Every structure is written in structure tokens, then in C-alpha cells.
Amino acid sequence: MDWLSVLPPLAAIAIAIWTRNVYWALGFAILLAETLAAGFNPALGALASVDRAAGVFTDAGNTRILLFCLIIGALIAYLERAGGFRAMVRWLTTSGTAAGPKRASGVTAASGVVLFIETNVSLLATGLLGKPLFDRLGLSRARLAYIIDSTCAPVSVLILLNGWGAFILGLLAANGVEAPLGVMLGSISLNFYALLTLALVAATILTGRTFGPMRAFDDAARAAPAPREDEAATETGGSLAAFLVPMFILVGGAIGFMWWTGDGNILRGSGSRAILWSVILATAAAFLFAARVPALRGKLVETGFDGMGKLLPAVTVIFLALALGDSLRALGTGVFLSGLASNLPMPWLLPAVLFLTACLTSFTTGTSWGTYGILVPVAIPLAVGAGIPLPLALAAVMGGGVFGDHCSPISDTTIIASLASGCDHLDHVRTQLPYALLAGAAATVLYAAAGLLA
């Protein structure tokens, strides 16, 4: 397929930006990918698209992600109706912990750093915490989505005591690297994109200033009236335990279940199982707190389904994104893109080229995991042949993978960040992309310089 294999993801991005309708964009990209795979036969492509969509559920991990995203809607509904959010925001504000915009943003970002163990848990926990704080202080949901997304994803590849670290170690060992742990640890300080992204988040928090399209959202948020308190929460006054207990179960359960499913090794645990089990338990706990609210008696099940219904559009986007990812893998999009980095006239440019190739691959396919699976086996022999240190080449691939994972409109991580913060998905992509491009441009220069000095 060669160049034709990149048409579906490029079409998805173009249609999403043009129409601001991500459903049409993803659906058309799946149809185009399957039509190309079917020898340019649109009828067969349409039938194959249906099979591809149905095939999403043949992967238990995909099914768990979709169930998790539905159930989290019920959790949010119970936390809101039991007054948990209101009580937590009141405590953070009155205690001075998050009394102003800088402190509220700092608390939210710090939560994302602490919860490095699993990206989706981190995104959801920090989003649930930050949303009422940002609303009360007149900060935009777009800024919240940017802070949690640009904290949680980069931290996951810097503090590698998680599934990402285990995956990278496995790839290095499988491709003949003698000291994989040392190479992985050596890549941390060279992961320029992740470090620069976190630095931009810190600068945004400390200065309170934003640029690009996000500034208009900030201005609108400051001019908007304060949100009306939830009636049930007002009636009961809210309980701090109604927030803390479910959140402790969500985060603690995810870590505990990863340890359990990994037979005592968190790195080997199943993230999808852990997060689904923990969100079910957290929702059950939130249900019990909501049951104590008189106004909710007889309406608890309805409340949960209402919460899930609000997240159905986001779940649909994730479902389509997963189907598109499968189509692109079958089409060979990532393999083709990785091959572009192999014909280099100047070997010292290899780290920069690997980084840009990983950026393009992850942005157009929406997956860092897939990018690593494709490019790490390619990067190792290229680095050895060019005389480039393996940690530098690995850092370039990992940083580029994060670029797409946290700002591509078809990435499940980007979608979950939008979901957790209550921000329109395309608004989140549009406001975060200038920051990602700035960090990406600076990282490219640094990788070129590092390759020259290596």
C-alpha cells in the first residue's frame, strides 16, 4: 500500500478538524482503510468495516475499556448527587490547599504525578478532582483537560514503574539488548519531549497565562456565572467521605489489582482488568453513599443509568478509535511510517528522525503502545549501526509516542482526558495542540543536537 496506507488516519484528522464531528471522521477512516485493504472495492470495504467494528469486542482488553468508561459515568453521577465533589472542593478551598487558581492547578497536576501507576486512572482521578475546583475558580475546562493530559501521559514514561515500563523492557529484551533495564533507565533524562511538556504545564500553572485558542476559553470561563450547586448535595451538605472513600477504592484498587494480576509484580499486572474491577467497586461504594440521600431514594438505578448515558458519546468515540487502530494495523500504516526513518544521509540526525517518525505514527494511529511495538525493534539496529547510544534512540521513540498519545484526536487517552475534564473533545485537541507542537519542535532540536554530540 505504501503511501496509501496513511490516507485513512490523515482523512480522519482532516474531517474531524473540518466538520468538528469526530464520529463521521472515525467512521469514514475505518471505511476507507477497509476499502483499501479490500482492493478498492467499497462494497467489500463496508462489509469489512462492520466486521472490524464487531471484532473490537473479541479483545477482552478493549471490552474492559469500554465497560469501564460507561461505568465511570455512574460513579460520577453518584459522587455528584451524594455531595462528594462539593464537600471535597469546600475542604480544599477552606483549608487553603486549593484556595486560588495557582494552587488549584498545582494540586490537580500534582495528583497526576502521584498517580503515575496507570494513565487512565490518573486522568480520571485528577479530572474528577479538578473539575469542580476549576469551575468554582473560573478556570476553563480546556485548561483542565490540558493540565491533566499533559501531566499524566508524560509522567507515565518518566516514572516507569507501570505497564509502560514492563512493555518497553519486554521489547528491549526481545530485540537482543543485553542490559534492558539500564537502557530504559538511561532514557529517562533524555526524554526531552516529556520533560518539556511537564515544564510547559508548570509554566502555565505558575504564570496563570495561556496562549493560542485556549486563551479564548479562559476568557469565557472567567466571564461565565458561577455554577449552580447540585440540589441533592445542597440538601445534605455533602460528605467528604462520599468523595474520599470511592476515590481511594478507585486508585488503591487499581494498584492492588495490578499487583495481584501480576503475581506480586505491578509491572506485569493487567491494567485493563485492574481498572475495571476497581471502578466497579468504587461505583458500589459511591452508590451506598448516594443511598443515604433522601432525595435519591427510589432513583438510584435511574441516576446511575443517567450518568452512563452522558458518557455514551465518548464511549462511542473510543469504540470507533479502537476499530480504526485495528484497521490501520492490518493495513500496515505504522510499518510503512517506520520504514521512512531507515534511509538517512546523516546518521547523527537519527534521534530527531526517530522522534518525528514516532510523533507522526502515534498521531495518525492514536496509540503509543502500537508506536513502540513498531518502532523500538526498528530503532535498536538503526542506533547500533549509526553509533547512536541506545538510551537516546529509545527516549526519542518513547517521547514521540507520547506526543500522539496525548494530543491525537483519535487517541483513547486524549478522549478519556476530555471525558474526565468535561471538555468538548475537539476543543481539547485544538487548545492543547499548540503546546504539544511547541514542545515537539524544541525536542526535535534537542534530539538533533544530542545526536551530533553523541
Side-chain angles (χ1 to χ4, degrees):
M1 286 294 177
D2 294 338
W3 287 100
L4 292 177
S5 67
V6 301
L7 286 180
L10 293 178
I13 294 167
I15 293 172
I17 295 172
W18 177 41
T19 66
R20 293 184 57 80
N21 188 315
V22 72
Y23 309 105
W24 285 112
L26 291 170
F28 178 80
I30 294 169
L31 176 61
L32 179 57
E34 296 299 332
T35 298
L36 291 174
F40 304 94
N41 187 319
L44 293 178
L47 294 176
S49 298
V50 175
D51 289 340
R52 184 70 66 185
V56 169
F57 296 101
T58 62
D59 186 309
N62 289 344
T63 305
R64 292 187 197 110
I65 290 173
L66 295 171
L67 285 174
F68 154 74
C69 290
L70 274 179
I71 296 170
I72 201 72
L75 173 60
I76 294 171
Y78 290 136
L79 288 175
E80 288 176 341
R81 299 298 287 170
F85 286 129
R86 180 173 180 267
M88 187 64 187
V89 171
R90 184 175 64 239
W91 178 81
L92 287 171
T93 304
T94 57
S95 67
T97 305
K102 288 184 181 179
R103 289 190 177 185
S105 300
V107 166
T108 303
S111 300
V113 174
V114 172
L115 303 176
F116 63 87
I117 195 70
E118 213 288 325
T119 306
N120 290 338
V121 170
S122 180
L123 286 169
L124 286 159
T126 53
L128 293 176
L129 173 65
K131 188 160 53 174
L133 285 174
F134 276 52
D135 287 350
R136 174 171 288 199
L137 294 168
L139 300 173
S140 69
R141 296 280 182 86
R143 184 190 291 213
L144 172 61
Y146 161 68
I147 288 176
I148 66 173
D149 206 355
S150 292
T151 299
C152 298
V155 162
S156 295
V157 294
L158 292 174
I159 307 177
L160 287 161
L161 298 175
N162 49 33
W164 292 34
F167 181 49
I168 293 298
L169 282 175
L171 287 174
L172 292 174
N175 285 275
V177 176
E178 293 184 0
L181 181 59
V183 171
M184 187 179 75
L185 294 178
S187 72
I188 294 175
S189 62
L190 298 171
N191 200 328
F192 302 133
Y193 178 76
L195 294 170
L196 288 168
T197 298
L198 291 176
L200 279 175
V201 171
T204 300
I205 292 172
L206 292 174
T207 65
R209 296 180 179 179
T210 54
F211 64 88
M214 194 181 298
R215 182 175 296 176
F217 285 88
D218 284 344
D219 292 341
R222 281 190 289 268
R228 184 173 62 87
E229 299 287 356
D230 181 85
E231 293 177 1
T234 303
E235 180 180 341
T236 62
S239 166
L240 191 59
F243 180 86
L244 292 178
V245 172
M247 294 307 295
F248 176 79
I249 293 173
L250 176 66
V251 177
I255 296 173
F257 283 130
M258 286 185 70
W259 177 84
W260 184 38
T261 57
D263 293 326
N265 187 340
I266 290 178
L267 294 179
R268 296 179 181 174
S270 171
S272 63
R273 280 196 181 116
I275 197 171
L276 178 59
W277 293 344
S278 61
V279 78
I280 289 174
L281 290 177
T283 303
F287 176 93
L288 295 177
F289 279 104
R292 301 169 59 188
V293 179
L296 290 180
R297 289 172 186 169
K299 300 180 180 178
L300 288 170
V301 175
E302 180 184 348
T303 298
F305 278 117
D306 285 344
M308 286 190 276
K310 291 179 180 178
L311 294 191
L312 187 57
V315 173
T316 302
V317 173
I318 294 175
F319 167 70
L320 292 172
L322 291 172
L324 177 59
D326 289 341
S327 293
L328 295 180
R329 277 190 290 275
L331 196 62
T333 303
V335 174
F336 167 70
L337 289 173
S338 67
L340 296 179
S342 61
N343 299 316
L344 286 177
M346 293 176 284
W348 58 270
L349 280 177
L350 179 64
V353 172
L354 285 174
F355 172 70
L356 292 174
T357 303
C359 285
L360 180 61
T361 303
S362 61
F363 190 81
T364 54
T365 61
T367 170
S368 58
W369 293 78
T371 299
Y372 298 155
I374 293 166
L375 286 182
V376 168
V378 174
I380 291 172
L382 285 176
V384 172
I388 298 296
L390 284 181
L392 179 60
L394 179 64
V397 172
M398 293 178 69
V402 170
F403 174 87
D405 201 44
H406 93 274
C407 69
S408 170
I410 59 176
S411 164
D412 60 338
T413 303
T414 310
I415 296 166
I416 290 174
S418 304
L419 179 156
S421 60
C423 177
D424 177 81
H425 178 54
L426 292 180
D427 287 342
H428 169 43
V429 173
R430 188 160 57 92
T431 54
Q432 180 168 258
L433 197 54
Y435 291 84
L437 291 174
L438 177 61
T444 303
V445 174
L446 289 174
Y447 279 121
L452 188 60
L453 297 173

